[in-house]
Amino acid sequence: PATPTADCAAADAPLPSPGHLRLSLSFSRGAATASVPHLSLPSPGVFAVTGPNGCGKSSLFALLGACAAAPSGMAGLPPGMILHRLQELHLPRAGSVAHVAQRLYCPLHASPLDWLVSAGGAGEANGTAAPAAAELDESAAPPPPATTSRLPAPDAPEGPEPPPTPPQPSSPLSTAREALASRTSAEAIRLGLPPASVSPSELLRVHDDFCGSLSGGQRVKLEILRAVLLPAACPSLLLLDEAFGALDPISKRMLMGRIRSRCAQSLVLVIYHADAAADATPVGGGEREGVAEVEATGAEAAAAGAAEVAAEAEAA
């Protein structure tokens, strides 16, 4: 059967700005039924998406990510999703979207470097652009020139040993890969990843399961490095699905600060569960400081849309 699709450019009204995110839709997935009557968010900005577990927050992010990956504007729906209504779905500068999901993907039997620089086409570290993906393919390089050796003729007396073959200079392709690995390694170490695991030689080597030895927090750092910090620019729309839950407080503040600095001109949506103890004191007519509460359950939760990010994220 054909895969159900969504028209990611559906709209009844013109956009006020190419940087806006506009939604008007409803869907169900599993036990969750979500309805967004109308939502318009300006860019740049950082917003929290809140609501109880299972109300459809991650499903909404999955739909936005699928639309971003559909150049024709028609996207395959995430598995198990039923789209009941789609009146409007506009992404800011569609095509420049990164989604850091709850279940992080890490390829098996692969070079970590090739995977890390795959986000957004060309990678960049410390301000220097990385080679394009085709340039990173060793098979695309011309074969080395053939070499010959002097072998004595049959039954002929051995002559003097031939002079040793001088070492061949590194190809431009190898040099570019090594430089890219060094820059990527330095950025990974800045995020607190173990130096021995992200050394240039380890990033270049093919691993059966590179992420198998990393903790949950270290995997999050690696994914944010790949999706946010290495591409030439921060995505126009960045979707962070509870990305900070596995991080220790110091790493959490550091990564929040890096993302806010890097993505100052982007629209950032964060699925965020405020800590009840930290945000228990109401101010300003029932709103917690830094958090506009969203009171919603079931079908209304995803419709609540977005609120200003929690005080902890703003402080970072």
Side-chain angles (χ1 to χ4, degrees), residues 9-270:
D12 289 338
L15 279 177
S17 164
H20 275 58
L21 170 70
R22 288 176 54 149
L23 299 176
S24 180
L25 53 83
S26 63
F27 64 86
S28 59
R29 193 182 190 189
T33 298
S35 176
V36 183
H38 177 72
L39 174 65
S40 179
L41 295 177
S43 179
V46 181
F47 298 88
V49 179
T50 66
N53 297 131
C55 71
K57 303 182 301 296
S58 296
S59 295
L60 177 61
F61 275 25
L63 176 59
L64 297 179
C67 282
S72 67
M74 298 297 294
L77 295 179
M81 178 177 287
I82 300 174
L83 194 61
H84 301 294
R85 179 181 63 85
L86 178 56
Q87 182 177 345
E88 188 171 21
L89 200 169
H90 274 292
L91 301 179
R93 293 180 291 277
S96 180
V97 177
H99 179 201
V100 178
Q102 287 188 40
R103 297 181 180 180
L104 300 176
Y105 170 76
C106 192
L108 303 176
H109 312 293
S111 157
L113 181 68
D114 292 339
W115 170 64
L116 286 170
V117 301
S118 65
E124 180 179 341
N126 298 333
T128 306
E135 298 176 36
L136 296 178
D137 184 2
E138 291 283 4
S139 63
T147 58
T148 59
S149 59
R150 289 172 50 193
L151 297 177
D155 302 325
E158 268 191 36
E161 287 290 329
T165 304
Q168 298 295 320
S170 299
S171 68
L173 176 62
S174 298
T175 301
R177 281 180 62 85
E178 290 167 3
L180 179 59
S182 296
R183 295 194 298 270
T184 304
S185 172
E187 187 64 44
I189 293 172
R190 286 182 62 195
L191 296 183
L193 288 162
S197 299
V198 293
S199 66
S201 59
E202 288 299 301
L203 294 180
L204 287 165
R205 184 170 67 87
V206 173
H207 294 256
D208 290 340
D209 183 8
F210 176 72
C211 292
S213 61
L214 300 179
S215 69
Q218 289 170 340
R219 289 191 182 202
V220 169
K221 293 177 181 180
L222 199 69
E223 178 62 17
I224 290 178
L225 174 67
R226 186 190 76 87
V228 181
L229 301 178
L230 285 181
C234 182
S236 301
L237 175 62
L238 176 59
L239 307 171
L240 300 176
D241 191 347
E242 300 188 48
F244 305 114
L247 298 172
D248 62 85
I250 294 176
S251 295
K252 183 177 180 180
R253 287 194 297 270
M254 179 269 294
L255 270 181
M256 283 181 170
R258 291 291 305 275
I259 291 173
R260 288 177 64 85
S261 174
R262 170 78 165 161
C263 302
Q265 300 304 314
S266 301
L267 175 59
V268 183
L269 302 186
V270 186

